[in-house]
Amino acid sequence: MHERTVLKRSIEKSKEKSAFKENIKGITITGLFMALTLVFTAFVNVKLPFGYGGLIHLGNIPLFLVAMLYGKRTGFFAGAFGMAMFDILSSWTIYAPCTFLTCGLMGFTTGLIVEKRKGFGWKLVAVLAALAIKLTGYYIFEAIFYHNLLEPFASFPGNILQVVLAAIPTLLLVVPLEHILKKSGLLPENS
């Protein structure tokens, strides 16, 4: 009887250690991709001369990749905090709440779609859903903030270009990255 209790406790401690390691790995990956999203937004961008002067940046690449590889929760945090932090640290501070919500929802939705459905086509659907969220979120914010229902449409070309420029490398890289990360143990085999 005593041996069975000792064995049971040993198994429980092993499970606890494994869960702790997975939590640490998840926190590390989330933090890394929040930082990558911030860096790709801050340092790889071009300011647009039309609309409200938005940016074409590559911050959506790490956002889409992490959402597709690690899921909706990590995608939310990378988008919400990574991109809103850029707004706070730059001259776009007024946009930070909108960016937090919109880009967080973009990451969450991308991850949710890819978690539920496998295949390249669903990854494309996830990016298109993220684009719809981006267009809607920023349109609503700008319509309210600028008291104008038509002017926010001027931001659409830049937002569309931004997502398309991120979608191309993301869709080219995500499948090979899945294989590499699974082999290295950084991505569960069943994902």
Side-chain angles (χ1 to χ4, degrees), residues 53-81:
L55 290 177
I56 297 294
H57 62 77
L58 299 182
N60 289 310
I61 295 172
L63 166 60
F64 289 151
L65 283 173
V66 77
M68 290 181 189
L69 295 169
Y70 291 99
K72 61 185 178 265
R73 186 177 64 85
T74 305
F76 173 83
F77 283 110
F81 288 98

Side-chain angles (χ1 to χ4, degrees), residues 96-162:
C98 175
T99 297
F100 183 88
L101 183 61
T102 300
C103 294
L105 284 173
M106 287 171 61
F108 183 86
T109 303
T110 299
L112 179 67
I113 290 170
V114 174
E115 280 178 8
K116 300 288 183 192
R117 310 241 174 9
K118 303 300 178 201
F120 183 81
W122 287 106
K123 290 173 175 54
L124 181 59
V125 168
V127 169
L128 292 172
L131 173 60
I133 291 167
K134 182 177 210 71
L135 293 175
T136 303
Y138 284 102
Y139 174 84
I140 291 169
F141 173 78
E142 290 174 351
I144 292 168
F145 188 75
Y146 295 110
H147 306 288
N148 189 311
L149 296 176
L150 294 177
E151 279 187 53
F153 285 113
S155 299
F156 276 33
N159 285 332
I160 292 168
L161 183 60
Q162 186 182 105

Side-chain angles (χ1 to χ4, degrees), residues 68-69 114 118 123 173-183 187-188 191:
M68 290 181 189
L69 295 169
V114 174
K118 303 300 178 201
K123 290 173 175 54
L173 292 172
V174 70
V175 173
L177 277 173
E178 282 176 330
H179 295 299
I180 291 167
L181 292 171
K182 283 180 182 176
K183 284 184 180 179
L187 192 66
S191 63

Side-chain angles (χ1 to χ4, degrees), residues 15-36:
K15 286 180 182 178
E16 287 174 7
K17 284 182 182 179
S18 179
F20 179 76
K21 285 181 183 179
E22 286 302 311
N23 284 339
I24 294 297
K25 185 168 52 170
I27 291 167
T28 302
I29 288 167
T30 301
L32 172 67
F33 276 89
M34 285 167 50
L36 286 172

